[in-house]
Amino acid sequence: MSQQVTGARTDGAGHVEEVRAAVRDLVPRALDDLRTLVAIPSVADERLFPRADCERAARWVADAFRSEGIDTRLEVTPDGSQVVLGHRPGPDGAPTVLLYAHYDVQPPLDDDAWTTPPFELTERDGRLYGRGAADCKGNIVTHLTALRALRALGGEDYPVGVRLVVEGSEEQGTGGLDQWVEANPGALAADAMLIQDTGNAELGLPTLTVTLRGAANVVVHVEALEGEIHSGMFGGAAPDALAALVAVLASLRDENGDTTIDGVPAAVAHGTWDGVAYDEDQFRHDAGVLDGVGLAGTGSVADRLWARPVVTILGIDAPSVVGSAAAIQPRASARLNLRVPPGSDAQDLQDKLVAHLEAHAPWGVRVRMERDAVGQPFAARTSGHVFDTLTAALADAYGRETVTAGQGGSIPLCNVLAGQYPDAEIVLLGVEEPACLIHAPNESVAPSEIENLAVGEALFLARLGEG
């Protein structure tokens, strides 16, 4: 992540230590909660896991926050998933804070690549491993722990009004909660919105995310023959759908590894990041780049991560190597992920990507596209009472200056909320940091991140309530 100092410690060290002590007492309970949540394989893809697992996770979240005085309920979003909604009014005149997270998780991917069972929280070398431990169930238990600490110190009431939103299909990108928000104007009104689905630039460095790339997925289908034919009898003249797909995909990168999409202006294709750079050696370590392997693209690491569009091949439908026959493939497909930098329009870039794929298909093969809903990039405000209060609270909690960072990921909900509630201050943070390996095998979380972030969140809510 790119980093920039934005805040400093505040006075009130005694209160900080009081909050820290309350949170520390609650950490064992938080880790037990995380263990319970990770054990629920809440993957929101019924082709892989039954919907009942997500419903079980939703009920657990609703019950847990209800036990902390939040009036919760479950609602079904337009994509069929369940969102946990909650509200507890604050004292007269106090601001309202929306707390966001999601309970659905990525699939395990390769079970054999996991050192420990993906849905069994396992401690190893001071970290806790399991799918969703960081993204995003660790953030759910952080919210819970911060609220519990405030109740332990101040009784039943909270210093601010609290709204809760924990969705169940964020990882699938189906936009169910986005559609629900648009169909229910005013239902989530709040002065501040904590979107806890990002994380720190490095372990123990408090970080607020201020930009997000948008996303637009496309599935490209290529068809050339009526059926498989023998490569010995027909190879050389018959149009090979898999070879055609490979040619199309190869056209999306130049010799340096930069993404190339026809029609994208040079200023966008080669955009630059104006924040502090992401050290290349640190990036290689964070990304697990093998020795001797170069990085893709030109410009700084930060340019490539946050200032430029990039296309990633997420999957290809083609015969497996094991069991493959000497046959020419009649059809092949690939799923592509387009990341869109702030300042660009995701729909426009998706249109350009589709046109590029169609234009670069060789031999007149038939090409068909499937488009996912797009998510626009997002840029947060970096000034205001909420931002300043949270910056100082995190600095006190971690004992280090808070920094700001960009992130390559996409959270379309941020733009929906900004459009519906233009006066609300939206900030992004979370327990994730590079070593978490979110979305990959062996995802993990550092317990210290849960503890420190819970301290920072509790301090923020208390101070915001004080005005």
Side-chain angles (χ1 to χ4, degrees):
M1 291 185 179
S2 170
Q3 306 165 23
Q4 177 181 338
V5 172
T6 61
R9 292 176 59 84
T10 63
D11 295 332
H15 181 58
V16 173
E17 293 310 313
E18 187 180 13
V19 172
R20 190 183 309 281
V23 168
R24 187 169 292 127
D25 288 344
L26 290 163
V27 167
R29 183 179 180 186
L31 300 187
D32 283 343
D33 286 345
L34 184 60
R35 185 170 293 105
T36 299
L37 268 177
V38 167
I40 304 174
S42 48
V43 178
D45 187 339
E46 290 187 277
R47 297 170 299 180
L48 301 174
F49 289 85
R51 182 182 293 273
D53 290 327
C54 279
E55 293 173 346
R56 184 155 54 101
R59 288 194 300 271
W60 188 95
V61 171
D63 291 344
F65 282 93
R66 189 179 299 116
S67 296
E68 302 310 320
I70 309 296
D71 183 16
T72 61
R73 70 185 192 278
L74 298 175
E75 288 208 15
V76 177
T77 56
D79 63 354
S81 64
Q82 289 185 324
V83 59
V84 181
L85 300 169
H87 182 223
R88 183 185 178 97
D92 289 343
T96 296
V97 179
L98 182 147
L99 307 178
Y100 167 89
H102 63 85
Y103 61 80
D104 67 306
V105 299
Q106 285 282 331
L109 299 178
D110 182 0
D111 284 350
D112 293 337
W114 284 80
T115 305
T116 54
F119 295 109
E120 181 180 316
L121 193 69
T122 306
E123 190 274 335
R124 188 169 73 252
D125 298 327
R127 298 186 67 90
L128 298 172
Y129 288 79
R131 176 56 89 219
D135 183 22
C136 183
K137 293 174 177 178
N139 288 307
I140 294 174
V141 300
T142 297
H143 284 319
L144 278 169
T145 304
L147 294 175
R148 288 167 179 163
L150 289 175
R151 298 186 92 192
L153 293 171
E156 293 297 312
D157 292 331
Y158 293 115
V160 295
V162 176
R163 288 197 185 278
L164 178 72
V165 180
V166 183
E167 68 170 310
S169 60
E170 192 275 343
E171 297 292 8
Q172 293 303 309
T174 51
L177 180 57
D178 303 2
Q179 298 168 48
W180 186 92
V181 171
E182 291 172 337
N184 293 271
L188 300 182
D191 301 282
M193 298 182 174
L194 301 189
I195 308 299
Q196 286 192 199
D197 191 19
T198 61
N200 291 339
E202 63 184 53
L203 181 65
L205 179 62
T207 305
L208 294 177
T209 301
V210 296
T211 65
L212 298 170
R213 284 195 296 194
N217 289 354
V218 172
V219 178
V220 53
H221 302 279
V222 174
E223 189 171 15
L225 301 166
E226 293 180 353
E228 294 182 353
I229 53 178
H230 194 279
S231 61
M233 296 178 62
F234 297 100
D240 182 336
L242 185 53
L245 178 63
V246 169
V248 171
L249 299 180
S251 73
L252 293 169
R253 297 269 186 171
D254 65 17
E255 65 276 9
N256 296 314
D258 287 313
T259 292
T260 54
I261 302 173
D262 294 347
V264 174
V268 175
H270 300 286
T272 57
W273 178 257
D274 60 5
V276 179
Y278 193 154
D279 179 75
E280 184 168 324
D281 289 339
Q282 184 64 48
F283 175 80
R284 293 181 65 89
H285 175 269
D286 293 343
V289 180
L290 299 178
D291 290 344
V293 176
L295 302 185
T298 58
S300 72
V301 171
D303 293 341
R304 286 172 268 179
L305 292 181
W306 306 307
R308 301 176 181 179
V310 64
V311 176
T312 300
I313 303 167
L314 300 182
I316 295 179
D317 284 344
S320 300
V321 171
V322 176
S324 57
I328 299 171
Q329 297 305 308
R331 61 191 65 85
S333 303
R335 185 173 183 233
L336 308 179
N337 172 243
L338 170 64
R339 295 290 177 173
V340 180
S344 297
D345 181 79
Q347 187 62 65
D348 176 63
L349 286 193
Q350 187 187 55
D351 292 342
K352 287 182 168 61
L353 174 60
V354 167
H356 177 105
L357 295 170
E358 293 172 340
H360 286 264
W363 318 316
V365 295
R366 297 178 183 177
V367 178
R368 179 172 59 87
M369 303 289 176
E370 293 181 33
R371 303 180 185 221
D372 286 353
V374 302
Q376 296 292 350
F378 175 77
R381 281 182 280 171
T382 55
S383 62
H385 181 55
V386 168
F387 187 86
D388 293 343
T389 302
L390 184 57
T391 294
L394 292 176
D396 281 343
Y398 282 84
R400 299 178 67 180
E401 303 289 346
T402 302
V403 303
T404 59
Q407 181 162 298
S410 170
I411 307 176
L413 176 66
C414 290
N415 285 300
V416 176
L417 291 173
Q420 289 279 334
Y421 307 101
D423 295 330
E425 290 191 55
I426 300 172
V427 289
L428 299 100
L429 66 166
V431 300
E432 302 158 22
E433 35 83 22
C436 290
L437 297 179
I438 65 170
H439 293 202
N442 299 303
E443 176 182 350
S444 68
V445 69
S448 59
E449 292 292 82
I450 293 175
E451 179 176 339
N452 286 330
L453 187 58
V455 172
E457 183 176 338
L459 287 171
F460 166 73
L461 295 175
R463 292 172 181 176
L464 197 67
E466 295 168 357

